[in-house]
Structure formats: C-alpha cells, structure tokens
C-alpha cells in the first residue's frame, strides 16, 4: 500500500510538473520594459523554463532566428493582446510579462519530454517557430508544445534551420490556409508577392515555385538578382517609380501576398482576376495596433468592423480580401522539412551573430532592407561575461 501511495504521489506530481529540478536558472537576453535597443539585458539568471503541460518539451537552443516582429515587440507592439493570451483571466499584474525573452525561431535539441509527448524523444534535433505570447529563443532553453515542433531537416545545420520556421509557418498559413493554395492546385497559378526580398517573401517564392506556380515579385532593384536566383519568374523594381503602373501591364493574378501594406491596398486588388476566386492576402493588419490603442474589447470590435467592411467591398467587385497571420504548426514544418531535404527550398541567412552580439543583431534588423534572415548562434550561451 505504501509503495502504491508513493507511486501515486510521484505520478500526480509528474502530471503537474514534469521538469527535473536540477536547473533553476539559465543565460538569456531579456527585456524588463518596452523601448529601444538599450532595454535588451543579458542575464545569467533568467528563470529556467519548466514543463507545465504533459505535451510540452524543453529544447536546448542551438540557434535563434530574429524577425521584424522581435523589433516591434521590443518596443511594445502587440502588448495588450499578447498579455491577454498569456493571462486570459487577467489574474496577474500589469507588466507581468517581464522579464520577457524575444526570438521567434529555434533550432535545437530536446532535453526533456512531458509525459504525453508521443512523436519526439530526448536528444531529437528539432526546429520550431515560437508563438509571440511564449518566452522566446534568445536563451539557453525554451519550452514548446509537441505540436509546435518538428524534426529538423537533416540537410541543414542549426543556424540554417533557425532561419526558416517563423517565415515558413507564416507563409504556409497565408498561402495554404488563407490563400487556399497547395501542391496539387498551384501549378500555373499566377502569384504576385509584394515585398519578395525579405524573410517571408524569399520563403514564399521558393515554396510556390516548388509547387509549379508562376511568381512575380516586387523588390528594390539591387535585390532583383537575388530573388531571380530563388526562382522568381518576373521582378518589378518598386524604387523605379509607382510600382502599380508596370504591374497593371501584366496578366492578372490568382493570388497576391502583400508583405508591405499601407498604400498597396488602394491599387493591388484591381490586379486580381475578378470572379474567379482570386484572393488578396495581406500580412500587414491593424489588429494588434487596434488592441494596443483601444484596449482588447474596443480594439477587436474596430478590427472586426474594418475587416468586414473591406471584405464585403471587394467581394462586390468579384475578388476576395483577406488578412493573414502567422500560425505555429509542427505538421506544416514536417512538410517543409521534406521540401528542404529534397533541395526545393534553401535557407536564406543574411547575417549570423553570436549570443553576445544580440543588441547588434537588433540594430541590423532595424536598418531594414533584409535579404533573408538574421540568426543568432547560441551554441555556447555562457560566452557573455
Ligand atoms: N501578420 C502576421 O502574423 C505577420 C507574420 C510575419 C510577418 N508579418 C509582417 O510581414 C511583413 C514582411 O515580413 P518579413 O519578415 O518578410 O520582413 P522583412 O524581412 O523585413 O522584408 C521586407 C522586405 O520588403 C522590402 N520592401 C520594403 N519596402 C518595399 C516596397 N514598398 N515594395 C516592395 N518591397 C519592399 C525590403 O527589401 P528591399 O526594399 O531592399 O527590396 C525587405 O526585404 C512585415 O511587415 C512583417 O511585420 C506579419
């Protein structure tokens, strides 16, 4: 009976907290408030992440990818919605997200698995995109759920692998889930990517070309060779004058992916084939700005009203208007791994920084004009003194 009781107590304990208790702290770059680059702080004493749910794993981070979202989040973008997601019942105090760890891509090795993790085991090499409401990868360890991770492509090292998951999951969500494209129906579809030379664009070009699509891209003139090399069929330089004029002269499109936003909405939808199911999907939406500015309830109502009005207005003209969002997905990364290992998609790493150079990596990101991804190597996280 005693043995049974001990076993039950142990089992119940492990149901709730399954993390081994040998580590309490780890090195990480954190922010304690929102602001400029000076809010980034290195610490050797960040809280070691624990497994809270049985489907979670702890990953030792080998490399972390940065995205424009990290720069925006450092400055407080999305704070209202992301805080609500972290603490839906609003039990904790304002500012409870700090110290906050940024970094949305990870490639690393599983150190520990929760009790319900079926498809992964300790020491598996994995890659993943980390949802923005979770602690990020600019740290020695990160916790993710089993359905957010995927086995890393064998053909890539960790730095290369960390350049892909966030843009890959974003492009997949936008093109497949929202845009309705897939490898069976994409052949000969005409797709326009506004802003094709950055992280999302460079991934989207390669995936669409692998599926047989015809891809037109806008970017600055000095990126033309770069995007053609990735497979773009037609390139239009947006710095040479109003970009909509040369685009109007082209055959109309089945899908437009807008990575730029702002003014583009005023002219881009007229480039779609009307009454054929053609879609415009933009990644630049006012959703998080609205909730930051107006609060959750009013911000969401404003967002729903804007979205519905625009969708209806364009539906009457025979084209679909959609907003696209990043969605974490291990199963999508499984499919992308196959494309990577078959050589259909290659990583585009623009610059690699060491763990001690994280503020420099953010400075570089803020300068804009990306030609692929910025990656931080975290193989020796203790190398900052
Ligand atoms: N809603 C979501 O869930 C979500 C998720 C991911 C990303 N996003 C957003 O999607 C956008 C793209 O992300 P990303 O990671 O690809 O950004 P990125 O890596 O910074 O790339 C943006 C690219 O656009 C080019 N560009 C700038 N102005 C342009 C213009 N007027 N016309 C054509 N190209 C222009 C820039 O290069 P050159 O000018 O030098 O050619 C740059 O390479 C960002 O605004 C990001 O915040 C949203």
């Amino acid at each position: 009976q005693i043995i049974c009781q001990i076993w039950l107590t142990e089992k119940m304990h492990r149901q709730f907290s399954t993390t081994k208790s040998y580590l309490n702290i780890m090195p990480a770059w954190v922010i304690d408030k929102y602001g400029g680059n000076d809010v980034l702080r290195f610490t050797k004493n960040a809280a070691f992440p624990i497994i809270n749910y049985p489907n979670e794993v702890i990953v030792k981070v080998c490399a972390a990818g940065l995205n424009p979202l990290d720069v925006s989040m450092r400055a407080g973008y999305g704070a209202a919605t992301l805080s609500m997601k972290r603490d839906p019942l609003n039990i904790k105090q304002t500012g409870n997200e700090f110290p906050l760890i940024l970094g949305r891509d990870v490639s690393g090795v599983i150190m520990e698995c929760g009790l319900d993790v079926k498809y992964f085991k300790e020491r598996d090499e994995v890659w993943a995109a980390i949802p923005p409401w979770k602690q990020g990868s600019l740290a020695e360890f990160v916790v993710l759920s089993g359905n957010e991770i995927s086995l890393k492509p064998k053909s890539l090292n960790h730095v290369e692998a960390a350049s892909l998951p966030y843009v890959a999951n974003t492009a997949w969500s936008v093109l497949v889930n929202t845009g309705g494209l897939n490898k069976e129906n994409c052949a000969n579809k005409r797709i326009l990517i506004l802003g094709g030379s950055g992280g999302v664009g460079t991934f989207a070009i390669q995936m669409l070309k692998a599926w047989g699509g015809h891809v037109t891209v806008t970017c600055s003139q000095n990126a033309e060779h770069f995007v053609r090399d990735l497979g773009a069929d037609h390139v239009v330089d947006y710095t040479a004058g109003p970009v909509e004029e040369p685009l109007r002269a082209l055959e109309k499109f089945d899908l437009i992916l807008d990575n730029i936003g702002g003014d583009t909405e005023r002219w881009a939808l007229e480039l779609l084939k009307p009454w054929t199911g053609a879609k415009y999907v933009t990644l630049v939406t006012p959703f998080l700005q609205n909730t930051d500015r107006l609060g959750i309830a009013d911000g969401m109502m404003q967002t729903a009203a804007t979205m519905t009005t625009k969708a209806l207005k364009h539906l009457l003209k025979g084209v679909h208007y959609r907003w696209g969002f990043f969605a974490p997905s291990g199963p999508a990364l499984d499919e992308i791994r196959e494309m990577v290992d078959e050589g259909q998609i290659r990583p585009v790493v623009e610059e690699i920084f060491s763990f001690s150079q994280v503020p420099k990596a953010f400075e570089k990101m803020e300068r804009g004009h990306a030609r692929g991804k910025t990656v931080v190597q975290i193989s020796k996280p203790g190398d900052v003194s």
Side-chain angles (χ1 to χ4, degrees):
Q1 195 191 352
I2 291 169
I3 292 168
C4 185
Q5 225 166 9
I6 293 169
W7 179 80
L8 266 177
T9 317
E10 167 73 1
K11 190 168 164 54
M12 279 165 66
H13 172 73
R14 286 183 65 81
Q15 291 282 352
F16 292 109
S17 172
T18 62
T19 299
K20 291 166 192 158
S21 56
Y22 54 84
L23 281 170
N24 293 319
I25 54 171
M26 65 172 180
W29 282 92
V30 299
I31 62 169
D32 304 303
K33 59 179 180 183
Y34 297 117
N37 232 17
D38 52 332
V39 299
L40 287 164
R41 173 175 70 88
F42 178 76
T43 176
K44 288 181 175 170
N45 300 325
F48 191 87
I50 56 169
I51 289 178
N52 282 313
Y53 299 96
N55 69 337
E56 289 182 327
V57 300
I58 298 181
V59 176
K60 180 167 170 52
V61 181
C62 294
L66 293 183
N67 293 272
L69 179 63
D70 289 303
V71 178
S72 312
M73 278 178 67
R74 190 204 60 203
Y77 173 73
T81 302
L82 296 175
S83 294
M84 189 197 66
K85 184 81 184 158
R86 291 179 193 114
D87 178 21
L89 300 177
N90 200 14
I91 294 166
K92 298 173 188 163
Q93 289 169 346
T94 311
N96 201 272
E97 67 267 42
F98 302 119
L100 183 66
I101 302 172
L102 301 169
R104 303 268 67 86
D105 296 286
V106 58
S107 181
V109 181
I110 295 184
M111 300 303 288
E112 195 177 336
C113 292
L115 295 176
D116 276 359
V117 174
K118 293 192 178 65
Y119 303 108
F120 302 95
K121 58 184 186 317
E122 286 178 20
R123 287 193 288 280
D124 276 349
E125 295 192 300
V126 292
W127 62 341
I130 305 169
W133 53 89
K134 292 192 174 180
Q135 289 289 48
S137 53
L138 290 173
E140 194 175 3
F141 296 93
V142 65
V143 164
L144 286 158
S145 89
N147 48 29
E148 289 160 353
I149 60 172
S150 159
L151 293 175
K152 176 179 86 64
K154 285 198 168 40
S155 56
L156 301 186
N157 62 35
H158 283 292
V159 165
E160 292 167 332
S163 70
L164 284 171
Y166 186 78
V167 292
N169 273 168
T170 301
W172 188 277
S173 165
V174 171
L175 296 170
V176 179
N177 303 342
T178 312
L181 296 179
N182 56 55
K183 62 181 167 202
E184 268 82 42
N185 70 8
C186 195
N188 301 320
K189 288 254 165 65
R190 286 182 53 76
I191 300 123
L192 169 63
I193 302 177
L194 299 171
S197 56
V200 176
T202 51
F203 181 87
I205 294 170
Q206 298 185 80
M207 187 168 86
L208 293 168
K209 286 310 297 173
W211 288 349
H214 182 282
V215 181
T216 300
V217 161
T218 67
C219 61
S220 58
Q221 196 225 334
N222 63 18
E224 175 169 354
H225 177 72
F226 170 64
V227 293
R228 278 199 191 278
D229 195 43
L230 294 171
D233 297 288
H234 191 80
V235 182
V236 180
D237 172 15
Y238 77 90
T239 61
V243 71
E244 58 272 33
E245 286 171 17
L247 288 173
R248 276 190 194 115
L250 302 176
E251 192 187 326
K252 289 198 185 316
F253 296 94
D254 297 289
L255 186 128
I256 297 175
L257 165 58
D258 188 351
N259 295 321
I260 303 303
D263 195 37
T264 50
E265 271 187 37
R266 287 202 288 113
W267 47 262
L269 283 105
E270 69 191 63
L271 305 174
L272 289 170
K273 296 174 185 170
W275 309 110
T276 59
K279 294 186 183 76
Y280 164 91
V281 188
T282 180
L283 271 172
V284 185
T285 80
F287 172 50
L288 292 177
Q289 265 156 355
N290 283 347
T291 50
D292 283 343
R293 197 167 49 90
L294 303 169
I296 297 293
D298 288 354
M300 280 182 149
M301 267 168 42
Q302 168 85 59
T303 303
T306 308
M307 172 70 215
T308 313
T309 312
K310 289 186 178 191
L312 282 174
K313 180 179 129 192
H314 293 295
L315 200 56
L316 294 175
K317 295 180 188 165
V319 293
H320 297 274
Y321 173 96
R322 297 273 189 275
W323 286 350
F325 295 96
F326 158 79
S329 168
L333 289 177
D334 288 343
E335 297 209 33
I336 291 157
R337 177 183 64 238
E338 284 176 24
M339 297 170 86
V340 170
D341 281 339
E342 281 167 16
Q344 293 173 320
I345 291 175
R346 61 178 152 101
V348 187
V349 179
E350 189 185 32
E351 203 165 348
I352 304 166
F353 292 86
S354 71
F355 198 37
S356 60
Q357 292 176 314
V358 164
K360 273 194 186 159
F362 273 79
E363 276 166 30
K364 185 244 140 191
M365 295 280 300
E366 265 176 312
R367 287 197 291 274
H369 297 282
R371 295 283 173 274
K373 290 290 298 285
T374 301
V375 180
V376 179
Q377 194 158 17
I378 311 196
S379 52
K380 290 184 198 158
D383 64 3
V384 177
S385 55

